[in-house]
Amino acid sequence: MTGALSYDVFVADPIPQNVTELVPNGDKREFSPLSITMVAGERDAVLVDPPMTMAQTADVGEWIDASGMNLTHIFVTHGHGDHWFGAAELAERFDAKVIATAGTIEQMHRNLGMRELFWDALFPGQIPITDVIAEVAPHDGIDLEGHLLKIIEVGHSDTDDTSVLHVPDIDLVVAGDVIYNGVHQFLRESHGDGIDSWLGAIDAVEALRPRFIVAGHKDKSLNDDGARAIEETREYLIAAARLLRENDNALDFFNAMLALFPSRLNPGALWGGATALYA
Ligand SMILES: [Zn+2]
């Protein structure tokens, strides 16, 4: 007989990027909020997607400490540095093992390779020096006090080789960047058939019928209603695909998307995607 599972989310607030050029709507460039999820049993816990900067990692360390839980694993859903650069530090502090799929580990190496040109340029001196210490996750998933946490590979979503963590016992999916919640979606890697692949990844999450979804980037004032987050993430991509066809430059595309999705956080993320897709 095992006790019930629960989950909790730490949202790291947006931080400024080292970019002087403003977003066309007048916003300063910033990074979207980050969701760090803890799935907890009675004593042990699994952390999903540790944050990026040293300051965020220290805050999450305090949060884990205050929970009193024994961290056994840190699972990384995909290779983008904002979901794992702090992993090694937390793994050492809490004596936990970092795991990810083989595909994600490959993408982690790719992100480490571009840290100087991309990540350190955006956040100079703020990202910890780190190696990729993740090991390939067991194929059937993670055992948390007798409950199975399933790792589901969904392929390309907002980057290549992405995965989600399904916790059937509490109807939860920790979705990384496959599902967004009230935040502009990262379209920089959505060229070619990227949007179609992402829509397929959303279908794979929907097939799990999760009541709750933690999106990797969420507006913390919103709930984790799974059906709503799935629908809104899909709607955003379908609109983006149409508006990419209808507009021949990044600014018109950006303005058209912003008119459709005025309340999502961080239009700068949309602008970053727009400039890349029209480059
Ligand atoms: Zn992300």
Side-chain angles (χ1 to χ4, degrees):
M1 194 61 196
T2 52
L5 299 182
S6 61
Y7 80 97
D8 198 6
V9 184
F10 181 100
V11 177
D13 288 324
I15 56 172
Q17 296 182 0
N18 182 36
V19 176
T20 45
E21 192 202 341
L22 298 177
V23 185
N25 70 339
D27 283 4
K28 291 196 168 119
R29 291 298 293 269
E30 61 175 23
F31 206 83
S32 295
L34 306 176
S35 308
I36 298 91
T37 305
M38 192 194 297
V39 180
E42 289 185 331
R43 209 178 128 264
D44 294 341
V46 174
L47 189 79
V48 186
D49 287 358
M52 166 172 61
T53 68
M54 290 181 263
Q56 290 168 337
T57 303
D59 288 346
V60 169
E62 294 309 302
W63 176 66
I64 297 166
D65 233 6
S67 76
M69 301 304 297
N70 171 47
L71 204 64
T72 60
H73 295 83
I74 296 172
F75 176 67
V76 178
T77 59
H78 67 288
H80 281 154
D82 53 314
H83 298 260
W84 71 270
F85 280 147
E89 194 175 318
L90 292 173
E92 192 181 5
R93 175 164 170 184
F94 295 102
D95 193 23
K97 197 171 179 171
V98 183
I99 56 174
T101 66
T104 288
I105 291 174
E106 210 174 292
Q107 299 300 325
M108 291 167 92
H109 283 287
R110 194 172 68 85
N111 275 265
L112 203 57
M114 59 190 247
R115 72 166 281 170
E116 223 173 294
L117 280 175
F118 183 77
W119 297 102
D120 289 329
L122 292 180
F123 306 105
Q126 296 173 61
I127 295 174
I129 302 298
T130 186
D131 283 325
V132 176
I133 64 161
E135 296 173 27
V136 177
H139 194 68
D140 31 334
I142 308 166
D143 183 312
L144 176 57
E145 296 180 351
H147 304 268
L148 184 63
L149 279 48
K150 295 181 182 170
I151 296 163
I152 317 283
E153 298 193 57
V154 296
H156 180 91
S157 58
D158 86 340
T159 187
D160 292 337
D161 299 315
T162 62
S163 66
V164 304
L165 190 69
H166 181 210
V167 190
D169 290 13
I170 50 172
D171 277 336
L172 169 73
V173 167
V174 187
D177 289 354
V178 181
I179 306 293
Y180 277 64
N181 189 355
V183 180
H184 280 285
Q185 295 172 213
F186 182 74
L187 298 172
R188 269 186 95 90
E189 298 178 46
S190 289
H191 40 74
D193 58 4
I195 287 181
D196 282 342
S197 304
W198 192 344
L199 288 167
I202 294 171
D203 291 346
V205 171
E206 188 172 43
L208 304 170
R209 303 252 162 254
R211 187 167 165 211
F212 305 105
I213 291 180
V214 178
H217 303 286
K218 67 170 275 187
D219 176 340
K220 66 184 178 186
S221 72
L222 299 175
N223 65 25
D224 294 333
D225 177 34
R228 179 184 56 76
I230 286 171
E231 201 37 54
E232 290 178 3
T233 306
R234 186 183 275 143
E235 189 191 356
Y236 189 94
L237 291 179
I238 291 171
R242 177 173 62 82
L243 292 172
L244 283 167
R245 284 193 302 271
E246 290 176 6
N247 292 281
D248 62 8
N249 66 82
L251 185 59
D252 288 349
F253 170 74
F254 171 83
N255 285 331
M257 284 294 284
L258 209 56
L260 279 183
F261 303 98
S263 59
R264 291 216 185 194
L265 299 180
N266 199 10
L270 171 63
W271 180 238
T275 52
L277 291 175
Y278 282 94

